C-alpha cells in the first residue's frame, strides 16, 4: 500500500512520496509528514547481517512507497559507493565507553552527505515518475555543511540547478572554501550579510513568492529544496540510526529487550527528528538527548515548553548549530499536537509574527522521549581535550557539544545505558577550533597548516575533501544583502 504525505499546516494536502520529494515544501509553507509512521518489518538479528546499503533499502521502501524496488536500489547504489572513504559507509567507533556513529566519511566530511548523496537521485527519479519537464532549481540555505554537500550532490546533474546561500561571516574557513570553489555551471553560491536564520527566512520567502513562481513556470523552472525540510533528506537520515542499533546488536553491546540512548548535536532539529521517527518505527532507542550550543533555543524549549527566538544570535565554534529557528521542530510540534494542522499552523504563525510560541502542558507531557541541554564554548573545548587525552580520539566541535551534554545527562540522571553519539563532522573541517580545544597554540597559521599539525597529533590522514581545496580556485564571489537574495536568484536563472 502507498504511504501518503500530508502537510503540517493543512490536513487536506495528500501527496505521494515522490511528489513530496519534488516539492520540498507544501504550498502553504507547511512541511510534508507521512500520514503514519511505518513499522520496521525486519528484526535486529536480521538487520545485523546486512550492509549499510541493504538497511537503507529496508528503511526507505517503507517511506518511499511509490518508488519501485529497482528505482530505490538504483538510487542507493549511486549514493553509497566509493565516494565514501570506507566500505562500511558509517563506522561505529568506541571511545571512553561510548559508541561514536561516524557520519563524516562522505565526500564533504560531514553528516549531510548521508542524505545529500542520495537526494539528487531520488529527485530526478521522482521527476521522471511525475512527468516533470521543468528544470528543477534547488534553493538552499546553509549554516555550513548542507551547502557543500548539496552542491556536491547536484553539481552537473542534468535537469537541475542549485543555489546555496550561506552567512558570509558565520561558517568556518574550510566550510567556506569548500563551497566557493565548487565547480559546475549549474551551481551558484552566494554569501549573505546576515546569519543562518536570515538566509533560511529569505529562502522560505522566495519559495512563497507567487509572482516569482509564475515567472519561473513560464521560463520552464520549478523550485525544490535540499534542506532537511525536504522529506527526501529526512528519510535517509533514519537509516543510520537503524544501522547503529544493528551494529551494536551484532557486537553484543545491545541485548534483546535492551535500549540505546542517542545523543545528537542539534541546530535545525532534522538529525534528532530522524532518531525520533526511527524510535516510532520500533527501533529500541531510549532517551533522545538533544545537544545544543550556546544558541540554546532548543534547550530552553525542552525545559519550559516555550520556543523563543527573540535573543542574541551567538557565533560559536560549532557553526552548523548556530540556529535560532529550528525548522524541523515543526514536524514534532505537529505530532505532539495530535497531528492537528490548525494548531501547528497557528503556532508557526506566532513564531513568524512574534518570534515565539508556547505549547500546552498536554503537548509538553508528550516530550518524554527527549532530554535537552547545552554546552558552553568552554565546555565544548574541554570535551575535545578530555576525550583526546583519555583515548587519543579527536572530536569536532559539534560532536564535542554532544559529548559535553552527554556528561551533563549522566550526572543529572545516573543513566549509564548503552549510548551512541552522532559524530556529525570530521575534526579536519574545524581545525582552528579543534587545535585550540587541544590546547595547541595556533598563532597565524591558517586552517590548512593546522590540518597538517592535526594530522600529526591524531595520527590520521588529512581527508581528501580538505586536500583538494587547499589550492583550489575560488569560483563564486557573490555577496548580497538579505533583501537582495531574490534578485540574485533571478539573475542566475536569467529572469532579471
Amino acid at each position: 500500500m502507498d504511504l501518503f504525505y500530508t502537510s503540517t499546516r493543512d490536513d487536506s494536502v495528500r501527496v505521494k512520496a515522490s511528489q513530496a520529494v519534488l516539492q520540498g515544501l507544501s504550498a502553504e509553507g507547511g512541511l510534508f509528514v507521512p500520514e503514519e509512521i511505518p513499522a520496521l518489518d525486519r528484526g535486529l538479528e536480521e538487520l545485523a547481517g546486512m550492509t549499510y546499503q541493504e538497511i537503507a533499502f529496508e528503511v526507505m521502501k517503507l517511506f518511499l512507497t511509490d518508488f519501485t524496488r529497482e528505482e530505490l536500489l538504483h538510487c542507493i547504489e549511486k549514493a553509497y559507493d566509493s565516494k565514501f572513504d570506507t566500505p562500511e559507509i558509517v563506522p561505529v567507533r568506541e571511545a571512553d565507553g561510548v559508541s561514536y556513529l561516524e557520519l563524516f566519511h562522505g565526500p564533504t566530511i560531514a553528516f549531510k552527505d548521508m542524505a545529500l548523496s542520495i537526494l539528487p537521485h531520488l529527485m530526478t527519479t521522482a521527476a521522471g515518475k511525475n512527468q516533470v519537464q521543468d528544470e528543477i532549481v534547488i534553493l538552499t540555505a546553509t549554516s555550513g555543511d548542507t551547502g557543500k554537500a548539496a552542491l556536491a550532490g547536484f553539481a552537473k546533474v542534468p535537469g537541475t540547478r542549485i543555489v546555496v546561500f550561506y552567512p558570509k561571516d558565520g561558517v568556518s574557513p574550510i566550510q567556506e572554501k569548500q563551497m566557493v570553489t565548487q565547480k559546475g555551471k549549474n551551481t551558484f553560491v552566494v554569501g549573505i550579510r546576515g546569519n543562518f536564520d536570515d538566509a533560511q527566512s529569505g529562502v522560505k520567502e522566495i519559495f512563497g513568492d507567487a509572482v516569482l513562481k509564475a515567472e519561473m513556470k513560464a521560463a520552464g523552472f520549478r523550485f525544490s529544496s535540499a534542506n532537511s525540510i525536504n522529506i527526501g533528506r529526512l528519510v535517509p537520515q533514519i537509516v543510520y540510526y537503524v544501522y547503529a542499533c544493528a551494529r551494536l546488536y551484532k557486537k553484543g553491546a545491545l541485548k534483546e529487550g535492551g535500549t540505546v540512548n542517542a545523543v545528537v548535536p542539534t541546530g535545525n532539529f532534522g538529525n534528532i527528528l530522524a532518531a525520533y521517527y526511527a524510535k516510532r518505527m520500533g527501533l529500541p532507542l531510549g532517551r533522545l538527548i538533544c545537544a545544543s550550543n550556546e544558541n540554546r533555543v532548543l534547550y530552553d524549549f525542552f525545559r519550559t515548553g516555550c520556543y523563543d527566538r527573540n535573543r542574541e544570535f551567538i557565533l560559536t565554534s560549532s557553526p552548523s548549530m548556530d540556529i535560532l529557528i529550528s525548522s524541523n521542530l515543526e514536524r514534532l510540534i505537529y505530532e505532539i499536537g495530535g497531528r492537528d494542522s490548525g494548531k501547528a499552523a497557528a503556532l508557526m504563525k506566532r513564531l513568524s509574527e512574534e518570534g515565539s510560541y508556547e505549547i500546552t502542558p498536554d503537548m509538553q507531557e508528550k516530550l518524554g522521549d527527549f532530554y535537552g541541554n547545552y554546552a558552553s564554548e568552554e565546555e565544548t573545548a574541554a570535551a575535545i581535550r578530555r576525550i583526546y587525552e583519555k583515548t587519543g580520539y579527536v572530536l569536532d566541535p559539534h560532536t564535542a557539544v554532544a559529548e559535553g551534554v552527554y556528561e551533563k545527562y549522566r550526572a543529572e540522571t545516573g543513566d549509564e545505558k548503552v549510548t551512541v553519539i552522532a559524530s556529525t563532522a570530521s575534526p579536519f573541517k574545524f581545525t582552528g577550533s579543534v587545535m585550540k580545544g587541544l590546547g595547541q597554540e595556533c598563532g597565524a597559521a591558517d586552517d590548512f597548516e593546522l590540518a597538517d599539525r592535526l594530522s600529526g597529533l591524531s595520527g590520521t590522514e588529512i581527508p581528501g575533501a580538505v586536500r583538494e581545496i587547499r589550492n583550489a580556485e575560488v569560483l563564486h564571489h557573490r555577496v548580497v544583502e538579505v533583501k537582495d537574495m531574490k534578485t540574485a536568484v533571478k539573475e542566475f536563472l536569467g529572469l532579471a
Side-chain angles (χ1 to χ4, degrees):
M1 284 180 59
D2 271 341
L3 176 66
F4 285 87
Y5 288 77
T6 186
S7 167
T8 52
R9 303 187 195 180
D10 184 355
D11 284 335
S12 70
V13 171
R14 196 167 191 259
V15 298
K16 291 185 176 182
S18 63
Q19 295 168 319
V21 169
L22 271 177
Q23 290 181 46
L25 199 64
S26 189
E28 77 297 323
L31 308 189
F32 288 113
V33 286
E35 289 188 332
E36 62 182 63
I37 305 296
L40 276 169
D41 57 5
R42 296 284 188 270
L44 279 180
E45 189 169 347
E46 195 174 352
L47 291 165
M50 295 183 184
T51 64
Y52 190 87
Q53 293 87 339
E54 289 167 338
I55 289 176
F57 176 75
E58 293 300 328
V59 173
M60 292 187 201
K61 73 178 186 185
L62 301 173
F63 284 93
L64 308 177
T65 53
D66 67 325
F67 287 74
T68 67
R69 174 185 175 87
E70 292 70 26
E71 287 168 342
L72 265 186
L73 289 173
H74 173 75
C75 291
I76 290 165
E77 179 189 350
K78 289 288 188 184
Y80 306 117
D81 58 11
S82 60
K83 70 172 72 71
F84 286 80
D85 65 18
T86 169
E88 293 174 273
I89 308 298
V90 181
V92 180
R93 298 275 164 81
E94 301 299 318
D96 197 30
V98 177
S99 294
Y100 287 88
L101 186 64
E102 292 190 346
L103 300 169
F104 54 77
H105 288 271
T108 76
I109 56 176
F111 83 100
K112 305 297 175 77
D113 289 325
M114 301 310 305
L116 283 163
S117 289
I118 195 167
L119 182 61
H121 304 290
L122 294 175
M123 196 166 282
T124 52
T125 301
K129 294 175 76 67
N130 290 276
Q131 291 81 50
V132 171
Q133 303 299 321
D134 296 337
E135 193 168 354
I136 299 168
V137 180
I138 307 299
L139 190 60
T140 293
T142 184
S143 55
D145 287 336
T146 289
K148 175 58 182 178
L151 288 161
F154 282 94
K156 303 177 185 177
V157 172
T160 70
R161 299 194 195 189
I162 177 164
V163 182
V164 169
F165 290 101
Y166 74 97
K168 179 71 179 84
D169 299 314
V171 299
S172 81
I174 285 181
Q175 284 179 313
E176 182 173 40
K177 190 78 181 283
Q178 281 187 309
M179 287 187 282
V180 297
T181 58
Q182 177 65 53
K183 295 178 181 177
K185 290 183 179 178
N186 68 329
T187 67
F188 186 44
V189 180
V190 185
I192 66 153
R193 296 185 182 93
N195 59 41
F196 169 74
D197 290 330
D198 296 324
Q200 184 168 248
S201 297
V203 163
K204 285 185 175 180
E205 192 174 312
I206 294 169
F207 263 111
D209 189 318
V211 175
L212 177 58
K213 189 175 181 179
E215 284 182 59
M216 289 184 59
K217 185 65 180 170
F221 296 116
R222 67 156 59 195
F223 279 135
S224 191
S225 173
N227 282 92
S228 54
I229 55 175
N230 192 315
I231 200 69
R233 266 281 305 275
L234 193 59
V235 170
Q237 291 180 265
I238 298 169
V239 174
Y240 46 73
Y241 293 105
V242 179
Y243 181 80
C245 287
R247 281 294 171 269
L248 291 173
Y249 181 88
K250 186 174 185 177
K251 287 162 54 177
L254 172 58
K255 307 295 185 185
E256 200 70 48
T259 58
V260 178
N261 290 335
V263 190
V264 188
T266 307
N268 215 19
F269 206 74
N271 204 0
I272 198 165
L273 182 72
Y276 172 76
Y277 276 16
K279 182 172 182 175
R280 293 275 305 278
M281 293 179 78
L283 198 69
L285 290 173
R287 294 301 290 279
L288 306 177
I289 300 167
C290 179
S292 300
N293 65 16
E294 288 186 352
N295 291 290
R296 42 184 272 180
V297 64
L298 286 167
Y299 163 73
D300 291 340
F301 170 74
F302 282 115
R303 293 289 162 128
T304 68
C306 178
Y307 191 95
D308 187 355
R309 65 173 174 83
N310 297 313
R311 62 184 70 201
E312 180 190 0
F313 185 96
I314 302 169
L315 293 174
T316 73
S317 60
S318 47
S320 297
M321 299 161 66
D322 290 346
I323 294 171
L324 295 180
I325 305 174
S326 302
S327 289
N328 266 291
L329 188 63
E330 181 172 341
R331 287 185 166 111
L332 181 64
I333 294 298
Y334 177 77
E335 295 292 340
I336 64 174
R339 300 180 69 84
D340 182 335
S341 64
K343 187 181 292 184
L347 290 173
M348 293 308 114
K349 186 170 188 282
R350 199 169 302 155
L351 179 65
S352 174
E353 293 176 352
E354 301 170 21
S356 68
Y357 62 81
E358 190 165 359
I359 61 174
T360 64
D362 178 58
M363 292 169 74
Q364 203 168 351
E365 281 180 18
K366 295 176 183 175
L367 293 175
D369 286 330
F370 294 90
Y371 166 91
N373 216 317
Y374 77 101
S376 68
E377 284 292 89
E378 293 76 16
E379 290 166 337
T380 301
I384 293 172
R385 191 164 189 170
R386 180 177 65 249
I387 296 299
Y388 175 73
E389 289 180 348
K390 287 183 76 172
T391 68
Y393 190 62
V394 181
L395 307 179
D396 94 288
H398 304 76
T399 310
V401 167
E403 162 60 28
V405 166
Y406 177 55
E407 291 303 317
K408 291 183 178 182
Y409 172 77
R410 288 172 66 192
E412 192 176 310
T413 66
D415 186 355
E416 296 291 337
K417 205 180 272 100
V418 176
T419 297
V420 63
I421 292 180
S423 185
T424 53
S426 165
F428 286 94
K429 203 158 189 173
F430 305 95
T431 49
S433 299
V434 169
M435 292 296 275
K436 287 173 187 171
L438 293 174
Q440 299 292 311
E441 193 62 50
C442 296
D446 67 20
D447 276 41
F448 296 100
E449 293 171 290
L450 294 176
D452 293 331
R453 288 171 54 189
L454 179 58
S455 176
L457 273 175
S458 63
T460 54
E461 191 178 333
I462 298 173
V466 175
R467 292 197 308 271
E468 71 186 19
I469 63 168
R470 188 187 288 259
N471 298 307
E473 180 187 359
V474 173
L475 301 173
H476 302 271
H477 301 272
R478 191 76 180 270
V479 180
V480 302
E481 303 293 339
V482 174
K483 64 180 177 59
D484 296 321
M485 287 171 62
K486 183 170 78 171
T487 301
V489 172
K490 291 181 70 171
E491 287 175 357
F492 175 57
L493 300 178
L495 300 176

